[in-house]
Amino acid sequence: MSTMKGARLPPLSAPGRTSSGKGARRQVKPASVLLRSKGADKPGYLSTWPAHVSSQIVLQKDPLSGVNRHHGCSDEFGGPVPKPRFLEQLECYLKRELTALDPLSPKLQERKLQVYREVFDYFIEDFKTYKPLLCAVKNEYDITLAYLQEQIRELEPLRSQLVLLSERCDKKVLGLREKERAEIRILKQERQHLQQVIESMREEQRALQTQVYRLKEELAVQYLQYRDEHDARKLLIANISSVSYNPEEDPDMAHDEVQPEDPVTVKLALKVCREDLTKAQVELNRLHAEYGDVVPRRDWENLDRMYKENLLKLETSQTDFDQMKSEYDALLDVHRQVSLQKDSLQKELEVFQEASTPRPHWEQCADVLGSRERWSEIFEGQSSKKRLEILLEELNSMGLQQKEFFSGMGTSSDVPIYLRYEGQLRNLRLRKADVVRIIKDIWREKASEDEKLDDRSDLKEFLHQYMERQHGGQAGEWVYSLLDSIKCNLKDDFISLFYDILTNKVHESLYHGQTQLLSNLLKVLIQSDSTESGLLTAAEFREALRTAFPLKGDQDIEELVVAAQSELETSEGSIAYQRLYTEDTDGNHGQFLGLVKRQATAERHHYINQLRTQLEGKEVVSVEETMSAFKTIDPTLDSESLYWNLRIAFHTKDLTLHTALLSTEVAIQRLSVANVSRAGPMPQPE
């Protein structure tokens, strides 16, 4: 590149320029220049070199003599036409500069573009006449390219934020739907209960109505009896009157008859009875009219109390439902706006992609990778940079002598259950992204099954069941291919932890502890975000970290804040904490979460070292001595965590049955590979 900048390239005659003699001026031919093939009758000019160089010659008609003359180095028989000297110099310079570039440099494309820019600048410098126009075109391309690159950098952070917001909205919508279904189910049960109560009250009402009808019939019969008695009394009084006024009647018969009562008294008594009967009839009619549809007061009080309770529950449920419905509508509006914004950004991205530099033809790599199906599986949804990295990894892996088939280890009892296969098993050549996806799915399925069984199953047995359930007859190929890919990617913390748990190097609680740690941190950050904007100031972020990690010192908190700001490339501005939980295509976390895990590991090792110091000088320990050591270094440790630590150290589920002594180093080693952590602050020395 220095040779071209130091020496000026000699000017060469370009297409469309002629020279009439020594020192003659350059003349630009008009646009009506014609092309002529070899052997054509009409004269013409070749537009540019080297088009049609093998079949056409450049002819020019002398305006003075009228004779056609050849231009260039070709003869009249169509001999080879050499390249212009200036073009050869430019090509040699371009080839030399491109060869000098390092293909592994991070900004290879920008350096290649710079080389082409310099070649184009030399080309512009040689054409004095067109220099302003070509410079304007070049400047416009540079401005447009810079603008598109800036737009892409501005739109890149929106992708992860859009994904997080979409997942958060989906989770909220699903949660609201579940709560709404539960409330609707409860309301339906209450409605059925109230319908049963109403039906029982209707049955009681029909029974009371039947009693009223029966009482009316009895009252009518009693009324007829009173009327008959009234008539009989009248007849009796009439007979008595007739006998008292008839003196000729036999005295013996009169003596034998009973002495009658006083008629006036009987009449008064009858009158009083009639009045009482009338009052009773009126009172009965009034009671029937007023209390015909009345229930007993005790039943009414019970029903009124139940009605008020149900009404209060209904009002509370309706209020909660209205609030959830408003939140749901707001989430729908936000989701709709985000969808519209996503569509617009997608359209803008498509426009940018169409206007940007054409991308390489990645389809040509299909033959190198074995088949078009494998090419689609590897390159789908990846950026050009990521595709280049994947292609280099595949080429490097193809250079290594990988096994095409694995030999099964057999079905004996000393072979792990997930490796008990025989015969030749094909190597599926799983990529790192596939390994991360399979491991995540294994952890997710295992957590679901452990929750159903209310007990934690062994990872080896579950891996065997998972592969048999997912792949059936090809389970052996998948297991051996998965382990081979895991061994090739042991530098990854996530994959290495899974392999250590599978091979019993560490306890499974380490993975669950890390997951719980990151989940609790995200929950605290969300609770600290009162505006629900996804942003926290540096002070708010620092307080949230102190809330999530109350045992950490100020130095550790400041290291976490600096790591978060460095990852988000912000120093004093707001911290988008949700972006700290984004993962790349291989499932790796960023700098901040990596530091959180490293600090947790360091704290766990420090805790184990304190326990080792407390048990120093003892070759063997008992359950009581280990319990006393834990209480000494961590007085606030709750009993459940303490017994869990002891069960891990002594490798037993029932501590009461374990009376034998255990080697101190064995106990410390078992605790060092488990999720054993401090519950409270360190005790102050007396």
Side-chain angles (χ1 to χ4, degrees), residues 34-44 57 59 61 66 68:
L34 302 176
L35 297 176
R36 179 176 179 176
S37 303
K38 183 177 180 181
D41 295 331
K42 295 181 181 181
I57 58 175
L59 297 179
K61 186 176 181 180
N68 294 333

Side-chain angles (χ1 to χ4, degrees), residues 176-388:
L176 292 175
R177 287 180 179 175
E178 291 297 330
K179 291 182 180 179
E180 184 178 355
R181 291 194 191 99
E183 293 178 356
I184 291 175
R185 185 165 56 254
I186 294 173
L187 292 176
K188 286 183 178 179
Q189 294 176 356
E190 292 180 356
R191 181 175 62 83
Q192 293 177 357
H193 176 68
L194 292 177
Q195 287 180 350
Q196 294 176 358
V197 173
I198 292 173
E199 188 65 26
S200 62
M201 293 177 64
R202 287 178 179 174
E203 290 293 336
E204 293 179 359
Q205 183 179 1
R206 286 193 289 269
L208 293 175
Q209 191 70 26
T210 304
Q211 292 180 4
V212 170
Y213 290 153
R214 187 173 64 253
L215 291 175
K216 285 183 178 179
E217 293 177 356
E218 293 178 357
L219 181 61
V221 172
Q222 191 70 22
Y223 179 73
L224 291 176
Q225 291 178 358
Y226 282 136
R227 291 293 300 272
D228 294 340
E229 185 178 359
H230 177 262
D231 295 338
R233 287 178 180 274
K234 283 186 177 180
L235 292 176
L236 180 60
I237 291 173
N239 292 332
I240 292 173
S241 299
S242 62
V243 170
S244 59
Y245 286 104
N246 190 3
E248 296 177 356
E249 191 173 355
D250 189 359
D252 295 331
M253 294 178 62
H255 180 73
D256 294 337
E257 293 178 356
V258 179
Q259 293 295 328
E261 296 181 358
D262 186 7
V264 178
T265 304
V266 174
K267 187 175 181 179
L268 290 175
L270 180 60
K271 184 178 180 180
V272 171
C273 289
R274 287 178 177 175
E275 291 177 354
D276 294 340
L277 179 61
T278 303
K279 291 180 180 180
Q281 186 67 32
V282 172
E283 184 68 18
L284 182 62
N285 292 334
R286 185 182 67 81
L287 293 176
H288 176 69
E290 293 182 359
Y291 300 99
D293 299 331
V294 176
V295 297
R297 184 175 183 83
R298 180 181 58 189
D299 297 341
W300 180 84
E301 290 178 352
N302 293 333
L303 291 175
D304 184 63
R305 178 177 53 80
M306 294 173 61
Y307 170 74
K308 290 181 179 179
E309 292 177 357
N310 293 330
L311 182 61
L312 181 60
K313 292 180 180 179
L314 181 61
E315 291 177 354
T316 305
S317 302
Q318 185 66 31
T319 303
D320 296 339
F321 176 75
D322 294 339
Q323 182 179 359
M324 292 181 180
K325 187 175 183 301
S326 61
E327 294 178 357
Y328 176 72
D329 295 337
L331 290 175
L332 284 180
D333 294 338
V334 173
H335 180 68
R336 192 179 300 108
Q337 295 175 3
V338 170
S339 299
L340 294 176
Q341 187 178 4
K342 177 184 177 183
D343 296 338
S344 63
L345 292 176
Q346 185 68 27
K347 293 180 180 178
E348 292 180 3
L349 180 60
E350 292 175 357
V351 173
F352 292 153
Q353 289 177 350
E354 293 176 357
S356 60
T357 305
R359 312 312 302 166
H361 296 286
W362 297 105
E363 294 82 1
Q364 299 176 357
C365 302
D367 297 334
V368 179
L369 297 177
S371 64
R372 188 166 295 275
E373 291 76 9
R374 178 167 173 77
W375 168 83
S376 301
E377 179 183 359
I378 294 177
F379 281 178
E380 184 177 2
Q382 302 291 343
S383 61
S384 297
K385 182 178 179 181
K386 191 63 178 179
R387 289 182 178 181
L388 180 59

Side-chain angles (χ1 to χ4, degrees), residues 36-274:
R36 179 176 179 176
S37 303
K38 183 177 180 181
D41 295 331
K42 295 181 181 181
Y45 295 95
L46 185 63
S47 61
T48 56
W49 189 93
H52 311 293
V53 70
S54 62
S55 61
Q56 295 179 351
I57 58 175
V58 181
L59 297 179
Q60 179 179 3
K61 186 176 181 180
D62 193 345
L64 298 178
S65 62
V67 179
N68 294 333
R69 295 185 295 130
H70 296 285
H71 275 260
C73 297
S74 63
D75 55 13
E76 61 182 358
F77 297 101
V81 179
K83 294 182 180 179
R85 183 180 177 186
F86 183 62
L87 178 58
E88 290 179 350
Q89 292 178 356
L90 289 178
E91 288 180 347
C92 292
Y93 169 73
L94 178 62
K95 182 177 181 181
R96 184 171 62 254
E97 292 297 328
L98 291 178
T99 307
L101 294 178
D102 184 11
L104 300 179
S105 61
K107 297 183 180 180
L108 177 60
Q109 188 63 30
E110 295 181 3
R111 295 182 179 179
K112 289 173 65 177
L113 182 60
Q114 182 62 29
V115 174
Y116 281 101
R117 282 175 177 168
E118 292 178 359
V119 173
F120 192 58
D121 290 338
Y122 292 141
F123 186 76
I124 293 173
E125 289 295 333
D126 191 77
F127 284 84
K128 302 297 184 178
T129 305
Y130 302 101
K131 181 177 180 180
L133 178 59
L134 294 176
C135 289
V137 172
K138 176 179 175 295
N139 292 335
E140 189 62 29
Y141 270 102
D142 291 340
I143 293 173
T144 304
L145 181 61
Y147 172 72
L148 293 178
Q149 290 177 350
E150 183 64 25
Q151 290 294 322
I152 291 174
R153 282 195 297 271
E154 292 179 357
L155 293 176
E156 190 66 26
L158 295 178
R159 181 180 300 173
S160 59
Q161 185 176 2
L162 180 61
V163 172
L164 291 175
L165 183 58
S166 179
E167 292 179 354
R168 183 179 177 185
C169 292
D170 292 340
K171 290 181 180 178
K172 286 188 177 180
V173 169
L174 292 177
L176 292 175
R177 287 180 179 175
E178 291 297 330
K179 291 182 180 179
E180 184 178 355
R181 291 194 191 99
E183 293 178 356
I184 291 175
R185 185 165 56 254
I186 294 173
L187 292 176
K188 286 183 178 179
Q189 294 176 356
E190 292 180 356
R191 181 175 62 83
Q192 293 177 357
H193 176 68
L194 292 177
Q195 287 180 350
Q196 294 176 358
V197 173
I198 292 173
E199 188 65 26
S200 62
M201 293 177 64
R202 287 178 179 174
E203 290 293 336
E204 293 179 359
Q205 183 179 1
R206 286 193 289 269
L208 293 175
Q209 191 70 26
T210 304
Q211 292 180 4
V212 170
Y213 290 153
R214 187 173 64 253
L215 291 175
K216 285 183 178 179
E217 293 177 356
E218 293 178 357
L219 181 61
V221 172
Q222 191 70 22
Y223 179 73
L224 291 176
Q225 291 178 358
Y226 282 136
R227 291 293 300 272
D228 294 340
E229 185 178 359
H230 177 262
D231 295 338
R233 287 178 180 274
K234 283 186 177 180
L235 292 176
L236 180 60
I237 291 173
N239 292 332
I240 292 173
S241 299
S242 62
V243 170
S244 59
Y245 286 104
N246 190 3
E248 296 177 356
E249 191 173 355
D250 189 359
D252 295 331
M253 294 178 62
H255 180 73
D256 294 337
E257 293 178 356
V258 179
Q259 293 295 328
E261 296 181 358
D262 186 7
V264 178
T265 304
V266 174
K267 187 175 181 179
L268 290 175
L270 180 60
K271 184 178 180 180
V272 171
C273 289
R274 287 178 177 175

